[in-house]
DNA sequence: GATGAATGAGCATTCATTCAT
DNA sequence: CATGAATGAATGCTCATTCAT
């Protein structure tokens, strides 16, 4: 799946061609040089467009970062939804969370890299509130899903604050390693191991 | 434990007073405004010194970042050593890794915050090689420690690449949450839970 | 008298509605933000029209400024004519000049503010020649009027260059004060005083 | 008296050489092209210095304008003080105000031109408060001087708001004409006439 | 060693104007 | 006639770094 699929889903149509291209080239620049080191001129040059066009579509550099970040977030969450819908038991739910995380990072490594990189910038910026809201909403959805399956015994009595870390922490840590090149084996090779570790961490 | 203790240990003596002060103020600036947004002049103003003095002591801005990063890294690894030395069984070793991580972040939140923030910058910069070397070395040390206790059966046959993620991933994830303010409960409150989760993830 | 009356007189009819609206909103923008700080987009936004429409009607930004300036100038001179026509003696003529100046500024403060502000810009620009011509013409008219009443004795032998300053200088100075908010009392409250001062300055 | 005398008085010493030069060239640029049309690069080129040096000394473009404006204001007020100190009667005081105004404009035409031009910009900007304070103070001083000589009868009972306009309005109007080239005769040629007109306007 | 004035390449952003639809 | 996306030259300003004193 190429980097453009996310964009075509989010900004469809022929008229948005330039918009998609700007985002795509910006993604590459940000990942290659870093957020601050990327200049508007670098992006402009790669799109063969004008500075004005970039500002016309995205307002400013932060707007560009935010647009990319939210596109990535939405795509990632969509995959999580899909996986979760197909899970029946609690254990399958935990696995769905781990699998969707790992699979998405592997399918969209550039977007994932960007997400890690831009997270603090976006959360401090003017779109930070929206990001927080979306994260809270997703957390609540997942919590509801889990509780509906808990059926009495099930999930150990972990503090709610800790749950997400227990489930996804190990996967995230490994994905960061892989994206940075420190680890060589693609995360999906360890899907089951990671899902099992998460399940053991979380279940009695 | 205040932010200065790390500095006093690493740069002792009265003559290093200014050096320590520059590092301390730089740490605050970097955490408050971000790496790139912090200017030499901001640091200068907080230390009541001159630009020249900063360049005299640290060469350039990257030198300042590297000095802070390595000081933090060393302090963190030292605590890990201490905890590990007192562990006897394999299980205690895993707990030592988790406890030392969690305790250090909680004792030195400003240094931890800085570490997360500066990691990619340092690893890409001229000190990246040294950082990689140190990490590899530490990884080997820990691996040796673990294998000496493995006594045949013990640790499940996880791929080596995955080990660190399984042990520390959950703790790191929660520490990031806490440092950013998303989670309210100090990580040490969950020491045992996190250690137990790590053990279960890793052991048969 | 509202700001629109000048426009309705100069650009009458339903078809000129948009034209009048653009001018009106431009006037407000120029007075609020200054000539240079006002952007075409600001005006566009206030009129709920398009950039293209503004360029269609006025050519460019300078054209907008010139159109406003000339409209103001014409309106002001028209009032002066009216007042002057009703004056019989020399003294009444001087008073007519003062009264018309003061009354116009007070009736059209936004237009007056704009006039002071735009004067140097217009006189340097491509419409500067026309402005100079109009001013010279008006000067000549007034001079003729005065000389027709001089009947021998009358006006002190002031140099012609000085006449306008002696008659209108004090009023202008006070009107500027009032428009800027430094002085609180409306200029018309001082009509007679100002006219008397002008007369004393000018007459033997 | 050249344009530099004001600067040498206000920024004396060899070390301030560059500072004075920047101000001097800025003055010329502002008068030639206007406040907004003058770019930092234009000034830089005329001084053969660097952008950085200008920002080092004056903070930003507004700082440059304010420094020039306040230098001019102080110089002008100093001359007024001198003239006023040598006046004995009320009539001589009025004349001193007129003479000092007219003589200063003629001696420092570039500074006067700049003052007219920059007035609204400075009064709206961050130094506006200081400007207002200085003007109020000067107004009070002059008022005191006048009242000390009033000795009962003297000055007609003009509203205080109007006084400054009556005294200086005509001179200002003519000085503007002369500076803009519309009038050819230097203002000092009309000193006595303007002083007499002011006296007549103001006295019974 | 300490100081801070000076440097100047580099950047984000603006905005009048054009022109294809 | 109207629209608004696209253009791109121009500008104010920043800031790491140097170096004369």
């Amino acid at each position: 799946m190429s980097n453009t699929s996310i964009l075509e889903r989010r900004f469809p149509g022929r008229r948005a061609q330039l918009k998609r291209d700007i985002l795509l080239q910006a993604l590459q620049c940000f990942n290659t040089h870093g957020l601050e080191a990327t200049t508007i001129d670098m992006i402009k040059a790669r799109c063969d467009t004008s500075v004005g066009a970039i500002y016309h579509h995205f307002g400013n550099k932060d707007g560009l970062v935010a647009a990319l970040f939210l596109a990535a977030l939405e795509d990632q969450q969509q995959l999580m939804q899909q996986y979760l819908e197909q899970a029946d038991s609690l254990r399958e739910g935990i696995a769905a969370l781990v699998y969707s995380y790992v699979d998405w990072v592997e399918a969209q490594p550039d977007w994932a890299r960007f997400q890690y990189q831009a997270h603090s910038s976006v959360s401090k910026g003017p779109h930070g509130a929206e990001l927080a809201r979306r994260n809270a909403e997703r957390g609540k959805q997942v919590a509801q899903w889990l509780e509906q399956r808990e059926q009495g015994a099930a999930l150990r009595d972990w503090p709610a604050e800790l749950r997400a870390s227990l489930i996804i922490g190990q996967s995230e840590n490994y994905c960061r390693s892989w994206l940075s090149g420190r680890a060589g084996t693609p995360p999906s090779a360890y899907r089951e191991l990671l899902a099992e570790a998460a399940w053991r961490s979380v279940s009695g």
Side-chain angles (χ1 to χ4, degrees), chain A residues 30-58:
Chain A
F30 287 143
N31 278 341
T32 308
H33 306 98
L35 246 45
E36 312 256 3
T38 296
T39 72
I40 297 290
D41 259 55
M42 284 165 70
I43 299 168
K44 182 206 84 171
R46 289 181 62 138
C47 300
D48 198 37
T49 182
S50 63
V51 237
I54 297 178
Y55 280 89
H56 180 71
H57 285 297
F58 301 100

Side-chain angles (χ1 to χ4, degrees), chain A residues 18-145:
Chain A
L18 176 59
K19 209 166 175 173
R20 287 197 301 269
D21 195 31
I22 292 171
L23 286 168
L24 182 61
Q25 304 306 329
L27 179 70
Q28 304 299 353
C29 287
F30 287 143
N31 278 341
T32 308
H33 306 98
L35 246 45
E36 312 256 3
T38 296
T39 72
I40 297 290
D41 259 55
M42 284 165 70
I43 299 168
K44 182 206 84 171
R46 289 181 62 138
C47 300
D48 198 37
T49 182
S50 63
V51 237
I54 297 178
Y55 280 89
H56 180 71
H57 285 297
F58 301 100
N60 58 18
K61 199 176 161 182
D62 282 342
L64 208 40
V65 171
L68 285 170
F69 193 88
L70 294 178
L73 192 66
E74 195 141 286
D75 196 67
Q76 185 187 28
Q77 295 186 358
Q78 212 168 305
L79 193 69
M80 198 193 75
Q81 285 290 3
Q82 284 176 26
Y83 278 38
L84 215 47
E85 279 167 13
Q86 293 174 1
D88 287 323
S89 67
L90 195 60
R91 176 156 193 174
E92 280 177 30
I94 300 292
L97 294 175
V98 172
Y99 289 176
S100 69
Y101 189 93
V102 161
D103 289 356
W104 186 80
V105 170
E106 191 167 330
Q108 306 289 358
D110 286 340
W111 291 89
R113 230 184 301 268
F114 176 77
Q115 229 184 5
Y116 290 135
Q117 187 186 185
H119 183 271
S120 84
S121 167
V122 173
S123 64
K124 285 175 195 163
H127 294 261
E130 191 183 346
L131 172 57
R133 193 180 48 68
R134 286 209 195 195
N135 278 332
E137 192 182 355
R138 185 196 48 168
K140 210 174 285 181
Q141 279 178 18
V142 172
Q144 278 183 356
W145 192 100

